[in-house]
Amino acid sequence: MTGLLEGKTALVTGAGHGIGRGHALELAKHGATVVVNDLGTSVNGEGSGRDADAVVDLIGARGGKAVADYSDVGDEQQVEELVGRAVDDLGRLDIVVNNAGIVRDRAIWNMSAADFDLVMRVHVRGTWLVSRAAATRWRSEAKAGGGSVYGRIVNTTSGAGLLGNFGQTNYGTAKAAIVGLTQTLSLELAGIGVTVNAISPGGVTRLSATLGGDRKALEPDERPEDEFDPKDPSLCCPVVAWLASPQAGHVSGQVIRAIGEEITLMDGWSRGATISNGGTRWDAEKLGARLATDVFRTRIPGLRLGS
């Protein structure tokens, strides 16, 4: 065990399998006590179980400290109790990694409203509820103390949210919403010293394996530590551990894509080409030519530049 997160307490949601499991193992490796949260559902959000227990046992076998939790992150009361237990039983909560998620992939003409609502409930509502519960306690601590606290939130987005993906209007929308939540939270919590960032991971997990093809989901602990596998979903976990550490106190409101051997800072919605009409109202019939040449850098057949 190393000491990058020594003395810190971390809550990781959806930590029973895949990326969340990797986060829990990585945070514990660096000295954090980890609350391993997992409702134990299927990838579609059905059923429940005690999947978190296996991760707690793994952490314990490696010399770390962890406790299991089976709360539903979409349930307001359960989330409040979960965060309360972390603070009361473990003495503090320093790090929140919002990772819980499910998929219900279908093209929009085959997707039910229930498929959309449940995915949004787990990803967006779940991330918001856990973040709110932690933020409320951190703000109270800051007001009672010196005005600031140690707090780290790391949310989870994906390529589907950043770039889009066929058949995932629910999942992609949820993951895009989490980016907006991350940026807004980073502004609201900056005054009390809390950083909020998002990670966009890759690799083959139980969720991504449902997309088809030759995909077999392996847990992070099922791979030899000395072998590099670009499909390993836990390759992003060291980035999360760093974001959760004191070293990353200057980083907030960022989206980092960590897939395989590459780490990429996403630029997001930045200002591109801009045109002005000099304080007069635009004419829709004339607007196309300006947009084509000055914004989209395309050409309209028969249009003479400068005309």
Side-chain angles (χ1 to χ4, degrees), residues 5-292:
L5 300 173
E6 195 68 41
K8 302 291 190 291
T9 298
L11 163 62
V12 183
T13 69
H17 297 279
I19 295 169
R21 186 173 186 150
H23 292 334
L25 293 171
E26 185 73 20
L27 295 175
K29 172 184 174 182
H30 292 284
T33 298
V34 183
V35 179
V36 180
N37 162 264
D38 201 292
L39 181 57
T41 69
S42 69
V43 295
N44 294 322
E46 299 170 341
S48 62
R50 302 223 159 187
D51 300 12
D53 291 348
V55 183
V56 171
D57 291 342
L58 276 169
I59 291 173
R62 297 181 179 186
K65 299 177 182 178
V67 295
D69 179 86
Y70 321 104
S71 301
D72 175 2
V73 296
D75 184 288
E76 182 176 10
Q77 181 175 344
Q78 290 187 43
V79 167
E80 290 295 330
E81 293 173 353
L82 160 61
V83 173
R85 282 195 302 271
V87 174
D88 295 339
D89 296 349
L90 301 176
R92 58 190 297 150
L93 178 62
D94 307 288
I95 301 158
V96 170
V97 181
N98 287 304
N99 172 79
I102 63 169
V103 291
R104 289 196 169 193
D105 297 346
R106 291 177 178 84
I108 193 167
W109 46 85
N110 292 324
M111 185 178 291
S112 68
D115 291 331
F116 183 88
D117 289 344
L118 186 58
V119 168
M120 294 293 286
R121 179 183 186 274
V122 177
H123 289 271
V124 182
R125 178 182 169 88
T127 297
W128 185 85
L129 283 174
V130 176
S131 297
R132 185 187 65 167
T136 300
R137 284 161 178 78
W138 284 334
R139 184 170 181 267
S140 295
E141 292 174 17
K143 290 175 68 176
S148 66
V149 295
Y150 187 99
R152 301 284 189 268
I153 296 177
V154 182
N155 295 326
T156 309
T157 183
S158 77
L162 299 172
L163 306 170
N165 195 41
F166 186 93
Q168 292 190 312
T169 53
N170 51 5
Y171 181 81
T173 301
K175 289 306 188 185
I178 287 172
V179 173
L181 173 61
T182 298
Q183 293 174 326
T184 303
L185 275 177
S186 72
L187 298 175
E188 292 186 350
L189 300 182
I192 59 171
V194 176
T195 68
V196 188
N197 295 285
I199 188 82
S200 174
V204 178
T205 65
R206 292 195 310 163
L207 268 62
S208 63
T210 63
L211 296 174
D214 185 19
R215 294 168 174 261
K216 181 180 179 182
L218 293 177
E219 299 292 358
D221 52 284
E222 294 175 340
R223 293 175 168 85
E225 290 188 2
D226 58 348
E227 291 184 11
F228 179 82
D229 180 355
K231 297 179 181 179
D232 182 351
S234 70
L235 292 176
C236 68
C237 297
V239 180
V240 170
W242 180 78
L243 287 172
S245 77
Q247 294 183 8
H250 62 290
V251 179
S252 195
Q254 304 301 316
V255 177
I256 300 174
R257 201 168 192 203
I259 298 179
E261 73 275 17
E262 294 183 345
I263 297 174
T264 304
L265 177 64
M266 303 301 290
D267 284 339
W269 292 105
S270 57
R271 289 177 61 89
T274 303
I275 58 175
S276 171
N277 207 28
T280 60
R281 187 179 180 86
W282 290 104
D283 183 333
E285 292 184 354
K286 298 177 180 179
L287 185 57
R290 289 286 307 278
L291 290 173

